[in-house]
Amino acid sequence: MVLVMDATPRLREQACFALYTASRAVIGLYRPMLDRLGLTYPQFLVLMALWESDGLTVTELGDELQLDSGTVSPLLKRLEAGGFVERRRESDDERRVTVHLTEAGAALESRGCEITQVVGEASGMSYGELIALRDKLNEFTAAIHDRQSTTE
Amino acid sequence: MVLVMDATPRLREQACFALYTASRAVIGLYRPMLDRLGLTYPQFLVLMALWESDGLTVTELGDELQLDSGTVSPLLKRLEAGGFVERRRESDDERRVTVHLTEAGAALESRGCEITQVVGEASGMSYGELIALRDKLNEFTAAIHDRQSTTE
DNA sequence: GCTCATTAAGTTGTGCACAACTTAGTTGTG
DNA sequence: CACAACTAAGTTGTGCACAACTTAATGAGC
């Protein structure tokens, strides 16, 4: 194997591009299924976080999804308008807003679970392969976040 | 190992979420470096495609990047405004528009190559590991696109 | 009690993505 | 030639992402 490190980087040889494309592809697979529930993929992620632990604050949700308040705030606004969640200004600290599932939002849990199954199967990978890929990706993300904080 | 397939899907256990997060993380690593060149990550991808083969049509670029004309057209408009590319309406088929690097756009090739090197190193993975990850991701994307076309 | 730094959430502006649509040019068939 | 079907690029509208900023509430130190 020859490493031609100083050649022009080709699009299809780049791991980063493969990542970008794979991410969009899987979200595209979710789309028609989530459409039927009236959700987008990021909205679905919020619900997943709340099914696991209802009543998170906006900041906690952002930490969970790796998104800042500029993304999460309007996302929650739309989820609230859709009747999936409710926002409550906390009385012990008026800066904090906790997010709670409505009955409709909680009721989607089993349908949501089914959807993740279908997507997993469509990947053409075994459960073990998916776990391995997930762990490799999380390792990759962690390495990048480390580099981010040290070099700046 | 126990497979609890009917349990609530947990965010951090999902390969799809790992993919979504990893993709955003790597683009975030590119951002400050590309900022210095006056580029965004998708704009950088367009230039990579053109460094490899200048004069592609809008549709060919879209095929290469897996993006439709609704995304590519405004992207090219901004790249043209930035002085990186030039669009030419073809005279033999007036529907077609070919995209050509300007001198400034072509001149970024070596800087762009350096940036991909730096990002690759920041991943904390060896060259071989990155290749393996890339191939796994492309396999994943291909399986999903197959499923998309068969099940509609 | 006051002031100032900090924190939480939200707002504004830019640039993707993508669906749905429009416009204009080309091609195939009668 | 006529005209319908098709194709290429672009436009419009919605919803993320993210940087930069604003507003409001809290807490620490004096």
Side-chain angles (χ1 to χ4, degrees), chain A residues 24-94:
Chain A
R24 285 191 297 117
V26 76
I27 291 173
L29 185 57
Y30 271 107
R31 189 168 294 112
M33 295 183 269
L34 293 178
D35 263 354
R36 261 169 253 142
L37 307 186
L39 293 171
T40 65
Y41 184 67
Q43 288 168 12
F44 181 62
L45 294 180
V46 170
L47 294 191
M48 279 185 63
L50 295 177
W51 292 330
E52 191 173 335
S53 140
D54 199 12
L56 294 173
T57 65
V58 173
T59 301
E60 285 164 347
L61 266 171
D63 289 347
E64 202 64 29
L65 308 186
Q66 304 282 327
L67 293 168
D68 71 0
S69 69
T71 301
V72 174
S73 282
L75 195 49
L76 292 174
K77 211 174 181 177
R78 286 184 285 269
L79 274 172
E80 191 166 43
F84 301 105
V85 305
E86 212 177 84
R87 281 186 289 183
R88 283 188 219 136
R89 185 68 64 172
E90 290 299 294
S91 55
D92 63 327
D93 184 344
E94 294 270 341

Coordinates of all heavy atoms in Angstrom, one line a residue, chain A residues 24-94:
Chain A
R24 N -26.3 12.0 6.7 CA -27.5 12.5 6.0 C -28.4 11.4 5.5 O -29.6 11.4 5.4 CB -27.1 13.4 4.9 CG -26.6 14.8 5.4 CD -26.4 15.8 4.3 NE -25.4 15.4 3.4 CZ -25.6 15.1 2.1 NH1 -26.7 15.2 1.6 NH2 -24.6 14.7 1.4
A25 N -27.7 10.3 5.1 CA -28.5 9.1 4.5 C -29.4 8.5 5.6 O -30.5 8.2 5.3 CB -27.5 8.1 4.0
V26 N -28.8 8.3 6.8 CA -29.6 7.7 7.8 C -30.8 8.6 8.3 O -31.9 8.2 8.5 CB -28.7 7.2 9.0 CG1 -28.3 8.4 9.9 CG2 -29.5 6.2 9.8
I27 N -30.5 9.9 8.3 CA -31.6 10.8 8.7 C -32.7 10.8 7.6 O -33.9 10.9 7.9 CB -31.0 12.2 8.9 CG1 -30.2 12.2 10.2 CG2 -32.1 13.3 9.0 CD1 -29.4 13.5 10.5
G28 N -32.2 10.7 6.3 CA -33.2 10.6 5.2 C -34.0 9.3 5.3 O -35.2 9.3 4.9
L29 N -33.5 8.3 5.9 CA -34.2 7.0 6.1 C -35.3 7.2 7.2 O -36.4 6.7 7.1 CB -33.3 5.9 6.4 CG -33.8 4.5 6.5 CD1 -34.6 4.1 5.2 CD2 -32.7 3.5 6.8
Y30 N -34.9 7.9 8.2 CA -35.8 8.2 9.3 C -37.0 9.1 8.8 O -38.1 8.9 9.3 CB -35.1 9.0 10.4 CG -34.5 8.1 11.5 CD1 -33.1 8.0 11.6 CD2 -35.3 7.5 12.5 CE1 -32.5 7.2 12.6 CE2 -34.7 6.7 13.5 CZ -33.3 6.6 13.5 OH -32.7 5.9 14.5
R31 N -36.7 10.0 7.9 CA -37.6 11.1 7.6 C -39.1 10.7 7.3 O -40.0 11.2 7.9 CB -37.1 12.0 6.5 CG -37.9 13.2 6.2 CD -37.2 14.2 5.3 NE -36.0 14.8 5.9 CZ -34.7 14.5 5.5 NH1 -34.5 13.8 4.5 NH2 -33.7 15.1 6.1
P32 N -39.3 9.7 6.3 CA -40.7 9.4 6.0 C -41.4 8.8 7.2 O -42.6 9.0 7.4 CB -40.6 8.4 4.9 CG -39.1 8.0 4.8 CD -38.3 9.1 5.4
M33 N -40.7 8.0 8.0 CA -41.3 7.4 9.2 C -41.6 8.4 10.3 O -42.7 8.4 10.9 CB -40.4 6.3 9.8 CG -40.2 5.2 8.8 SD -39.2 3.8 9.5 CE -37.5 4.3 8.9
L34 N -40.7 9.3 10.5 CA -40.9 10.4 11.5 C -42.0 11.4 11.0 O -42.7 11.9 11.8 CB -39.6 11.1 11.8 CG -38.6 10.3 12.5 CD1 -37.3 11.1 12.8 CD2 -39.1 9.8 13.9
D35 N -42.0 11.6 9.7 CA -43.0 12.5 9.1 C -44.4 12.1 9.6 O -45.3 12.9 9.9 CB -43.0 12.4 7.6 CG -42.2 13.6 7.0 OD1 -41.8 14.5 7.7 OD2 -42.0 13.6 5.8
R36 N -44.7 10.8 9.5 CA -46.0 10.3 9.9 C -46.3 10.6 11.4 O -47.5 10.7 11.8 CB -46.0 8.7 9.7 CG -46.7 8.4 8.4 CD -46.5 6.9 8.1 NE -45.5 6.7 7.0 CZ -44.6 5.7 6.9 NH1 -44.5 4.8 7.9 NH2 -43.8 5.7 5.9
L37 N -45.3 10.8 12.2 CA -45.5 11.2 13.6 C -45.5 12.7 13.8 O -45.7 13.2 14.9 CB -44.4 10.5 14.5 CG -44.2 9.0 14.4 CD1 -43.2 8.6 15.5 CD2 -45.5 8.3 14.6
G38 N -45.2 13.4 12.7 CA -45.1 14.9 12.8 C -43.8 15.4 13.4 O -43.8 16.4 14.0
L39 N -42.7 14.5 13.3 CA -41.4 14.9 13.9 C -40.3 15.0 12.9 O -40.4 14.3 11.9 CB -41.1 13.8 14.9 CG -41.9 13.6 16.2 CD1 -41.5 12.4 16.9 CD2 -41.8 14.9 17.1
T40 N -39.3 15.8 13.2 CA -38.0 15.8 12.5 C -37.1 14.9 13.3 O -37.3 14.6 14.5 CB -37.5 17.2 12.3 OG1 -37.1 17.7 13.6 CG2 -38.4 18.1 11.7
Y41 N -35.9 14.6 12.7 CA -34.9 13.8 13.4 C -34.4 14.5 14.7 O -34.4 13.8 15.8 CB -33.8 13.4 12.5 CG -32.8 12.5 13.2 CD1 -33.2 11.2 13.5 CD2 -31.5 12.9 13.5 CE1 -32.3 10.3 14.1 CE2 -30.6 12.0 14.1 CZ -31.0 10.7 14.4 OH -30.1 9.9 15.1
P42 N -34.0 15.8 14.7 CA -33.6 16.4 15.9 C -34.7 16.4 17.0 O -34.5 16.3 18.2 CB -33.2 17.8 15.5 CG -32.8 17.6 14.1 CD -33.7 16.6 13.5
Q43 N -36.0 16.6 16.6 CA -37.1 16.6 17.5 C -37.2 15.2 18.1 O -37.5 15.1 19.3 CB -38.4 17.0 16.8 CG -38.4 18.5 16.4 CD -39.5 18.8 15.5 OE1 -40.4 18.0 15.2 NE2 -39.5 20.0 14.9
F44 N -37.0 14.2 17.3 CA -37.1 12.8 17.8 C -36.0 12.5 18.8 O -36.3 11.9 19.8 CB -36.9 11.9 16.6 CG -37.0 10.4 16.9 CD1 -38.1 9.8 17.4 CD2 -35.9 9.6 16.6 CE1 -38.2 8.5 17.6 CE2 -36.0 8.2 16.9 CZ -37.1 7.7 17.4
L45 N -34.8 13.1 18.6 CA -33.7 13.0 19.6 C -34.1 13.6 20.9 O -33.8 13.0 22.0 CB -32.5 13.6 19.0 CG -31.8 13.0 17.8 CD1 -30.6 13.7 17.4 CD2 -31.5 11.5 18.0
V46 N -34.8 14.7 20.9 CA -35.2 15.4 22.1 C -36.2 14.4 22.8 O -36.0 14.2 24.1 CB -35.9 16.7 21.8 CG1 -36.6 17.2 23.1 CG2 -34.9 17.7 21.3
L47 N -37.1 13.9 22.1 CA -38.1 13.0 22.8 C -37.4 11.7 23.3 O -37.7 11.3 24.5 CB -39.2 12.5 21.8 CG -40.1 13.6 21.3 CD1 -41.3 13.0 20.5 CD2 -40.6 14.5 22.4
M48 N -36.4 11.2 22.6 CA -35.6 10.0 23.1 C -35.0 10.4 24.5 O -35.0 9.6 25.4 CB -34.6 9.6 22.1 CG -35.1 8.7 21.0 SD -33.8 8.1 19.9 CE -32.9 7.1 21.1
A49 N -34.4 11.6 24.5 CA -33.8 12.0 25.8 C -34.8 12.1 26.9 O -34.5 11.7 28.0 CB -33.1 13.4 25.5
L50 N -36.0 12.6 26.6 CA -37.0 12.8 27.6 C -37.7 11.4 28.0 O -38.0 11.3 29.2 CB -38.1 13.7 27.1 CG -37.6 15.2 26.9 CD1 -38.7 16.1 26.3 CD2 -37.0 15.8 28.2
W51 N -37.8 10.5 27.1 CA -38.3 9.2 27.4 C -37.4 8.5 28.4 O -37.8 7.8 29.3 CB -38.4 8.3 26.2 CG -39.4 8.7 25.2 CD1 -40.6 9.4 25.5 CD2 -39.4 8.5 23.8 NE1 -41.3 9.6 24.3 CE2 -40.6 9.1 23.2 CE3 -38.5 7.9 22.9 CZ2 -40.9 9.1 21.9 CZ3 -38.8 7.9 21.5 CH2 -40.0 8.5 21.0
E52 N -36.1 8.8 28.3 CA -35.1 8.2 29.2 C -35.2 9.0 30.6 O -35.0 8.4 31.6 CB -33.7 8.3 28.6 CG -32.7 7.5 29.3 CD -31.4 7.5 28.6 OE1 -31.4 7.7 27.3 OE2 -30.3 7.3 29.2
S53 N -35.4 10.3 30.5 CA -35.4 11.0 31.7 C -36.1 12.3 31.5 O -35.6 13.3 31.0 CB -33.9 11.3 32.1 OG -33.7 12.5 32.6
D54 N -37.4 12.3 31.9 CA -38.3 13.5 31.7 C -37.9 14.6 32.6 O -37.3 14.4 33.7 CB -39.7 13.0 32.0 CG -40.8 14.0 31.4 OD1 -40.4 14.8 30.5 OD2 -41.9 13.8 31.7
G55 N -38.2 15.8 32.2 CA -38.0 17.0 33.1 C -36.6 17.6 33.0 O -36.2 18.3 33.9
L56 N -35.8 17.3 32.0 CA -34.5 17.9 31.9 C -34.6 19.4 31.6 O -35.6 19.8 31.1 CB -33.8 17.2 30.7 CG -33.4 15.8 30.8 CD1 -32.8 15.3 29.5 CD2 -32.4 15.6 31.9
T57 N -33.6 20.1 32.0 CA -33.6 21.5 31.7 C -33.1 21.7 30.2 O -32.6 20.8 29.6 CB -32.6 22.3 32.6 OG1 -31.3 21.9 32.3 CG2 -33.0 22.1 34.1
V58 N -33.3 22.9 29.7 CA -32.8 23.2 28.4 C -31.3 22.9 28.2 O -30.9 22.3 27.2 CB -33.2 24.7 28.0 CG1 -32.6 25.0 26.6 CG2 -34.7 24.8 28.0
T59 N -30.6 23.4 29.2 CA -29.1 23.2 29.1 C -28.8 21.7 29.2 O -27.9 21.2 28.4 CB -28.4 23.9 30.3 OG1 -28.7 25.3 30.2 CG2 -26.9 23.7 30.3
E60 N -29.4 20.9 30.0 CA -29.2 19.5 30.1 C -29.5 18.8 28.8 O -28.7 17.9 28.3 CB -30.0 18.9 31.3 CG -29.4 19.2 32.6 CD -30.4 18.9 33.8 OE1 -31.6 18.7 33.5 OE2 -30.0 18.9 34.9
L61 N -30.6 19.2 28.2 CA -30.9 18.6 26.9 C -29.8 19.0 25.8 O -29.4 18.1 25.0 CB -32.3 19.2 26.4 CG -33.5 18.4 26.7 CD1 -34.8 19.2 26.4 CD2 -33.5 17.1 25.9
G62 N -29.4 20.2 25.9 CA -28.3 20.6 25.0 C -27.0 19.8 25.2 O -26.4 19.4 24.2
D63 N -26.7 19.5 26.4 CA -25.5 18.7 26.7 C -25.7 17.3 26.2 O -24.8 16.7 25.6 CB -25.3 18.6 28.2 CG -24.8 19.9 28.8 OD1 -24.4 20.8 28.0 OD2 -24.8 20.1 30.1
E64 N -26.9 16.8 26.3 CA -27.2 15.4 25.9 C -27.1 15.3 24.4 O -26.5 14.4 23.8 CB -28.6 15.1 26.3 CG -29.0 13.6 26.4 CD -28.2 12.9 27.5 OE1 -27.7 13.5 28.5 OE2 -27.9 11.7 27.3
L65 N -27.6 16.3 23.7 CA -27.6 16.3 22.2 C -26.4 17.0 21.6 O -26.3 17.0 20.4 CB -28.9 17.0 21.7 CG -30.3 16.5 22.2 CD1 -31.4 17.2 21.4 CD2 -30.4 15.0 22.1
Q66 N -25.6 17.5 22.4 CA -24.4 18.3 21.9 C -24.8 19.5 21.0 O -24.3 19.7 20.0 CB -23.5 17.4 21.1 CG -23.0 16.1 21.8 CD -21.9 16.5 22.8 OE1 -21.1 17.4 22.5 NE2 -21.8 15.8 23.9
L67 N -25.9 20.2 21.5 CA -26.4 21.3 20.8 C -26.5 22.5 21.7 O -26.7 22.4 22.9 CB -27.8 21.0 20.2 CG -27.9 20.0 19.1 CD1 -29.3 19.6 18.9 CD2 -27.2 20.5 17.8
D68 N -26.3 23.7 21.2 CA -26.3 24.9 22.1 C -27.8 25.5 22.1 O -28.7 25.0 21.5 CB -25.3 26.0 21.6 CG -25.7 26.6 20.3 OD1 -26.8 26.3 19.8 OD2 -25.0 27.5 19.9
S69 N -28.0 26.4 23.0 CA -29.3 27.0 23.3 C -29.9 27.6 22.0 O -31.1 27.6 21.9 CB -29.3 28.0 24.4 OG -28.6 29.2 24.0
G70 N -29.0 28.1 21.1 CA -29.5 28.7 19.9 C -30.2 27.7 19.0 O -31.0 28.1 18.1
T71 N -29.9 26.4 19.1 CA -30.5 25.4 18.4 C -31.7 24.8 19.2 O -32.8 24.6 18.6 CB -29.5 24.3 18.0 OG1 -28.5 24.8 17.2 CG2 -30.2 23.2 17.2
V72 N -31.4 24.5 20.4 CA -32.4 23.8 21.3 C -33.7 24.7 21.5 O -34.8 24.1 21.5 CB -31.8 23.4 22.6 CG1 -32.8 22.8 23.5 CG2 -30.7 22.3 22.3
S73 N -33.5 25.9 21.8 CA -34.6 26.8 22.1 C -35.7 26.8 21.1 O -36.9 26.5 21.4 CB -34.2 28.2 22.4 OG -33.7 28.3 23.7
P74 N -35.4 27.1 19.8 CA -36.4 27.0 18.8 C -37.0 25.6 18.5 O -38.1 25.4 18.2 CB -35.8 27.6 17.5 CG -34.3 27.7 17.8 CD -34.1 27.6 19.3
L75 N -36.1 24.6 18.7 CA -36.5 23.2 18.6 C -37.6 22.9 19.6 O -38.6 22.3 19.2 CB -35.2 22.3 18.8 CG -35.2 20.9 18.4 CD1 -35.6 20.7 17.0 CD2 -33.8 20.3 18.6
L76 N -37.4 23.3 20.8 CA -38.4 23.0 21.9 C -39.7 23.8 21.6 O -40.8 23.3 21.9 CB -37.8 23.4 23.2 CG -36.7 22.5 23.7 CD1 -36.1 23.0 25.0 CD2 -37.2 21.1 23.9
K77 N -39.5 25.0 21.1 CA -40.7 25.8 20.7 C -41.6 25.1 19.8 O -42.8 25.1 19.9 CB -40.2 27.1 20.1 CG -41.0 28.4 20.3 CD -40.2 29.5 19.7 CE -40.8 30.9 19.8 NZ -39.9 31.9 19.2
R78 N -41.0 24.5 18.7 CA -41.8 23.8 17.7 C -42.3 22.5 18.3 O -43.5 22.1 18.0 CB -40.9 23.4 16.5 CG -40.6 24.6 15.6 CD -39.8 24.3 14.4 NE -38.4 24.0 14.7 CZ -37.4 25.0 14.6 NH1 -37.7 26.2 14.3 NH2 -36.2 24.6 14.9
L79 N -41.6 21.8 19.2 CA -42.1 20.6 19.9 C -43.3 20.9 20.8 O -44.2 20.2 20.9 CB -41.0 19.9 20.7 CG -40.1 18.9 19.9 CD1 -38.9 18.5 20.8 CD2 -40.9 17.7 19.4
E80 N -43.2 22.1 21.4 CA -44.3 22.5 22.3 C -45.5 22.9 21.4 O -46.6 22.5 21.7 CB -43.9 23.8 23.1 CG -44.9 24.1 24.2 CD -44.3 25.1 25.2 OE1 -43.6 26.0 24.8 OE2 -44.5 24.8 26.4
A81 N -45.3 23.6 20.3 CA -46.4 23.9 19.4 C -47.0 22.7 18.8 O -48.3 22.7 18.6 CB -45.9 24.8 18.2
G82 N -46.3 21.6 18.7 CA -46.8 20.4 18.2 C -47.5 19.5 19.2 O -48.1 18.5 19.0
G83 N -47.4 20.0 20.5 CA -48.1 19.3 21.6 C -47.4 18.1 22.1 O -48.0 17.3 22.8
F84 N -46.1 18.0 21.9 CA -45.3 16.9 22.3 C -44.6 17.1 23.7 O -44.4 16.2 24.5 CB -44.2 16.5 21.3 CG -44.7 16.2 20.0 CD1 -44.6 17.1 18.9 CD2 -45.3 15.0 19.7 CE1 -45.1 16.8 17.7 CE2 -45.8 14.7 18.5 CZ -45.7 15.6 17.4
V85 N -44.3 18.4 24.0 CA -43.7 18.7 25.3 C -44.3 20.0 25.8 O -45.0 20.7 25.2 CB -42.1 18.9 25.1 CG1 -41.5 17.7 24.5 CG2 -41.8 20.2 24.4
E86 N -43.9 20.2 27.1 CA -44.4 21.4 27.8 C -43.2 22.0 28.5 O -42.3 21.3 29.0 CB -45.4 20.9 28.9 CG -46.5 21.8 29.2 CD -47.4 21.2 30.2 OE1 -47.1 21.2 31.4 OE2 -48.4 20.6 29.8
R87 N -43.1 23.3 28.5 CA -41.9 24.0 29.2 C -42.4 24.6 30.4 O -43.4 25.3 30.4 CB -41.3 25.0 28.2 CG -40.4 24.4 27.2 CD -39.6 25.4 26.4 NE -40.5 26.1 25.5 CZ -40.1 27.0 24.6 NH1 -38.9 27.3 24.6 NH2 -41.0 27.6 23.8
R88 N -41.7 24.4 31.5 CA -42.0 25.0 32.8 C -40.9 25.8 33.4 O -39.8 25.3 33.6 CB -42.4 23.9 33.8 CG -43.8 23.4 33.6 CD -44.1 22.4 34.7 NE -44.9 21.3 34.2 CZ -44.7 20.0 34.5 NH1 -43.8 19.7 35.5 NH2 -45.4 19.1 34.0
R89 N -41.1 27.1 33.6 CA -40.1 28.0 34.2 C -40.1 27.5 35.7 O -41.1 27.5 36.4 CB -40.6 29.4 34.1 CG -39.7 30.5 34.6 CD -38.4 30.7 33.8 NE -38.6 31.1 32.4 CZ -37.6 31.5 31.6 NH1 -36.4 31.4 32.0 NH2 -37.9 31.8 30.4
E90 N -38.9 27.2 36.2 CA -38.7 26.7 37.5 C -38.8 27.8 38.6 O -38.2 28.9 38.4 CB -37.4 26.0 37.7 CG -37.4 24.6 37.0 CD -38.4 23.7 37.5 OE1 -38.3 23.2 38.6 OE2 -39.4 23.3 36.7
S91 N -39.5 27.6 39.7 CA -39.8 28.7 40.6 C -38.6 28.9 41.6 O -38.4 30.0 42.1 CB -41.0 28.4 41.4 OG -40.9 27.1 42.0
D92 N -37.8 27.8 41.8 CA -36.7 28.0 42.7 C -35.5 28.7 42.0 O -34.6 29.2 42.7 CB -36.2 26.6 43.3 CG -35.7 25.7 42.2 OD1 -36.3 25.8 41.0 OD2 -34.8 24.9 42.4
D93 N -35.4 28.6 40.7 CA -34.4 29.4 39.9 C -35.1 29.8 38.6 O -35.2 29.0 37.7 CB -33.2 28.5 39.7 CG -32.1 29.3 39.0 OD1 -32.4 30.3 38.4 OD2 -30.9 28.8 39.0
E94 N -35.5 31.0 38.6 CA -36.3 31.5 37.5 C -35.6 31.5 36.1 O -36.1 31.8 35.1 CB -36.9 32.9 37.8 CG -37.9 33.0 38.9 CD -39.3 32.8 38.4 OE1 -39.5 33.0 37.2 OE2 -40.1 32.5 39.3

